[in-house]
Amino acid sequence: MGVITLPKFYIDFEGYRRGDPNYKSTTRDVSRILDTLNQEKVDAVVLDLRNNGGGSLQEAIELTGLFIEKGPVVQVRGVRNDVEVHEDRDNSVKWSGPFAVLINRFYGISIGNLRRSNPRLW
């Protein structure tokens, strides 16, 4: 079993804007970890988001895309009560085996949509 602990959803915005091919981001780092776990043929993955207070919404959406084919990820309600739905539009999946997401009361983002869109989630 592979365990991935994420204390926040991070991205090097400056490196991203500059077009640095080695900029740091949650999704890029987790993608590399998942490649390794796939090569090692682990049975399941646990994504530990306990005490994760949030961070980059873009990264949270892209990270979710590593686990689902496509679909809604998060809804954001604006100051005028308008709702914007952010989706994963990429069909590719980095992890197709069983996985669990650990959260606690300090977790900053709901995983309801991930749970509904992915029956593999424990």
Side-chain angles (χ1 to χ4, degrees):
M1 178 179 310
V3 178
I4 302 170
T5 303
L6 291 176
K8 64 181 178 176
F9 297 104
Y10 55 88
I11 184 171
D12 173 10
F13 284 110
E14 193 60 36
Y16 177 78
R17 283 187 210 118
R18 281 193 324 261
D20 180 349
N22 298 314
Y23 73 92
K24 297 291 275 179
S25 81
T26 303
T27 304
R28 292 165 61 104
D29 291 344
V30 170
S31 179
R32 284 190 285 271
I33 292 168
L34 291 173
D35 286 343
T36 300
L37 295 175
N38 275 314
Q39 289 173 357
E40 294 175 356
K41 301 191 184 319
V42 298
D43 294 334
V45 168
V46 175
L47 188 60
D48 187 350
L49 301 178
R50 292 175 294 178
N51 301 318
N52 181 319
S56 167
L57 180 60
Q58 171 188 335
E59 282 301 304
I61 294 165
E62 290 183 17
L63 176 75
T64 302
L66 298 177
F67 297 93
I68 67 171
E69 287 184 7
K70 67 179 182 176
V73 174
V74 66
Q75 296 180 3
V76 177
R77 184 175 303 276
V79 294
R80 295 190 179 122
N81 254 357
D82 53 323
V83 175
E84 184 178 354
V85 177
H86 296 269
E87 297 185 4
D88 172 44
R89 300 179 196 280
D90 182 1
N91 283 333
S92 66
V93 174
K94 280 285 187 166
W95 181 259
S96 59
F99 72 103
V101 178
L102 301 179
I103 60 171
N104 61 10
R105 65 183 180 163
F106 301 110
Y107 177 65
I109 300 172
S110 168
I111 63 163
N113 282 335
L114 177 60
R115 192 175 292 145
R116 281 190 293 279
S117 64
N118 198 322
R120 295 176 294 113
L121 182 63
W122 295 335

